[in-house]
Amino acid sequence: MSILTNILPMISSSYATTTMHDETPVDQETSLVFDFLNNNSNIPQQFIWPDGEKPCSQPPPPLHVPPIDLNGYLSGDPLAVSNATRLVNEACQKHGFFLVVNHGMDSKLINETHKNMDFFFGKPLVEKERAKRKVGDYCGYASSFTSRFSCNLPWKETLSFRYSAEIPDSDHIVQSYILNAMGQEYTHFGDVYQKYCEEMSKLSLSVMELLGESLGVGRAYFREFFEGNDSIMRLNYYPLCQKPDLTLGTGPHCDPTSLTILHQDDVGGLEVFVDDKWHSVPPNTNAFLVNIGDTFMAMSNGIYKSCLHRAVVNCTRPRKSLAFFLCPKKDKIVSPPTELITSNPPRKFPDFTWSVFLEFTQKHYRADKNTLDAFVHWLQHQTC
């Protein structure tokens, strides 16, 4: 029996007042809710967010983040290395968000992944639900997470699947999942995302080299830790919304994973919380957007911040984004390197495995800005 199951009543009572979102299950048929969304100008109550969390009444100021030349950094040029490590260190200590350019990703592959998002999300709901996500799982198709939550629902559809960089699982794991869930007509779709995940894994490891050097532990430390990563790929689709001032595409949260590498289209909608207010992130299709997640914040001993962000929607154009969530192998111990543990700062988070944290977020807690604190609170109860 999972150790999480034994303390579920404690989780429900302890965190009911601290989580930002209601965890009450939904009794209604979820497909009807999202069909209603797409064909009616009246927003169902479940999608209307509290006044204090609705989108800004005025456009938020843009977040100015200097792009980091990843190819320059990897070339070893001293000036490029110094500049990249300084920029990423400043950004990650302040808000946990930065951009990388000259990343080496094939633009044709990126365009093909976006094209195939249109292919999938343009299908009838009954077809997309061949891959319907099961409660408690992170893989599959979800329409607004209506099977999990009863209020503050996000105005979006997603398709998520696992990617493993560990042999022999990595050979065809994405292709196999897509074919098993959707059928042979999705062969090309599976091929595209298999390739994209492989390239994202490589890019993630390069970014980990940069993070390691910027923290003073060397290029190899985090790269080697994540070489056998067991990660998550998610396709996000944000439909048109007739009343975008009432709802959110994604509510405020920090990603519980280690690192998110995001490619968004040219529509815009991503916002990051910096200096006590929301800032927009202007689209840049030539860049990848990177944000620190809770797991890496723990690995950095709290030196680098997990990025608090959200997504807004609009009434003129749907928005798409591709999110690769880098995660360690599920049984690896998440612990900071000894170089980052001193009297100042002292050890901030206990050791844990990604598998336990993942289960916590999928079954018992809705990710928000307090996820890691809530998880640590639960872990401490286990040792009492």
Side-chain angles (χ1 to χ4, degrees):
M1 178 179 291
S2 167
I3 55 177
L4 285 168
T5 305
N6 296 330
I7 50 81
L8 182 55
M10 184 278 292
I11 292 176
S12 299
S13 60
S14 297
Y15 301 144
T17 58
T18 58
T19 181
M20 294 168 58
H21 313 298
D22 185 0
E23 291 285 350
T24 307
V26 179
D27 294 327
Q28 62 198 336
E29 176 58 43
T30 61
S31 62
L32 294 177
V33 173
F34 208 83
D35 276 349
F36 181 70
L37 258 176
N38 284 324
N39 294 287
N40 199 299
S41 60
N42 294 318
I43 297 181
Q45 186 63 39
Q46 301 98 312
F47 294 84
I48 298 178
W49 285 64
D51 288 342
E53 297 180 33
K54 288 186 174 79
C56 305
S57 57
Q58 298 296 324
L63 180 63
H64 296 290
V65 180
I68 294 170
D69 182 351
L70 189 60
N71 184 60
Y73 167 76
L74 294 173
S75 73
D77 174 74
L79 182 60
V81 170
S82 175
N83 190 49
T85 53
R86 175 182 58 82
L87 289 175
V88 77
N89 188 273
E90 291 173 354
C92 291
Q93 290 197 55
K94 184 176 177 62
H95 46 64
F97 175 86
F98 58 96
L99 292 89
V100 294
V101 295
N102 295 330
H103 41 70
M105 280 287 294
D106 184 355
S107 60
K108 292 181 179 179
L109 177 59
I110 296 173
N111 292 337
E112 191 67 15
T113 56
H114 280 279
K115 180 180 177 181
N116 275 270
M117 287 179 71
D118 292 332
F119 168 76
F120 178 82
F121 290 111
K123 295 293 184 181
L125 184 62
V126 65
E127 181 168 341
K128 290 180 286 192
E129 286 195 330
R130 292 184 201 169
K132 186 175 180 178
R133 181 188 301 193
K134 297 177 181 178
V135 175
D137 198 0
Y138 64 87
C139 292
Y141 168 77
S143 55
S144 303
F145 305 123
T146 48
S147 62
R148 233 189 124 183
F149 310 120
S150 63
C151 72
N152 296 350
L153 295 180
W155 194 274
K156 69 175 179 179
E157 299 176 85
T158 63
L159 178 65
S160 307
F161 39 86
R162 176 190 176 208
Y163 171 76
S164 172
E166 188 176 23
I167 302 296
D169 291 339
S170 62
D171 287 349
H172 304 288
I173 185 170
V174 174
Q175 294 164 314
S176 297
Y177 173 78
I178 295 297
L179 288 177
N180 290 337
M182 300 301 297
Q184 290 295 322
E185 63 269 37
Y186 283 78
T187 298
H188 178 67
F189 184 91
D191 291 344
V192 168
Y193 288 103
Q194 176 72 44
K195 180 62 175 176
Y196 187 81
C197 287
E198 291 169 357
E199 295 303 310
M200 281 291 99
S201 180
K202 295 175 185 176
L203 178 60
S204 298
L205 296 182
S206 296
V207 173
M208 278 296 165
E209 289 187 32
L210 173 58
L211 291 173
E213 191 158 5
S214 70
L215 281 165
V217 300
R219 289 191 177 194
Y221 187 91
F222 293 122
R223 180 186 179 92
E224 291 175 356
F225 186 88
F226 286 97
E227 278 182 343
N229 65 85
D230 196 336
S231 298
I232 302 167
M233 182 71 213
R234 178 168 296 165
L235 319 184
N236 297 305
Y237 183 79
Y238 302 89
L240 298 180
C241 180
Q242 298 301 318
K243 297 180 180 178
D245 57 320
L246 299 181
T247 189
L248 288 170
T250 300
H253 70 286
C254 297
D255 294 332
T257 50
S258 299
L259 196 72
T260 303
I261 299 188
L262 184 83
H263 192 275
Q264 59 176 342
D265 61 15
D266 61 354
V267 175
L270 178 64
E271 296 182 353
V272 174
F273 197 72
V274 184
D275 295 330
D276 297 321
K277 61 183 177 182
W278 290 104
H279 291 71
S280 65
V281 178
N284 182 346
T285 57
N286 294 318
F288 279 96
L289 287 57
V290 183
N291 67 262
I292 302 298
D294 288 339
T295 299
F296 193 81
M297 182 165 71
M299 291 191 72
S300 74
N301 199 32
I303 297 172
Y304 283 179
K305 289 185 178 180
S306 188
C307 177
L308 179 60
H309 58 286
R310 69 181 187 181
V312 299
V313 293
N314 67 82
C315 60
T316 57
R317 296 177 64 190
R319 174 176 177 259
K320 304 188 299 293
S321 68
L322 297 151
F324 182 83
F325 300 102
L326 181 70
C327 310
K329 288 175 59 178
K330 292 181 181 178
D331 60 349
K332 293 203 95 171
I333 302 297
V334 175
S335 182
T338 55
E339 296 94 322
L340 301 183
I341 305 172
T342 62
S343 58
N344 184 27
R347 182 68 186 272
K348 290 192 174 182
F349 305 100
D351 288 349
F352 59 88
T353 62
W354 168 238
S355 61
V356 175
F357 194 17
L358 177 62
E359 185 174 356
F360 179 77
T361 61
Q362 294 303 308
K363 295 183 179 179
H364 309 301
Y365 193 88
R366 186 174 186 176
D368 60 17
K369 64 180 180 180
N370 300 311
T371 308
L372 185 57
D373 288 339
F375 177 63
V376 168
H377 181 70
W378 169 75
L379 282 179
Q380 291 171 339
H381 273 71
Q382 303 312 292
T383 59
C384 294

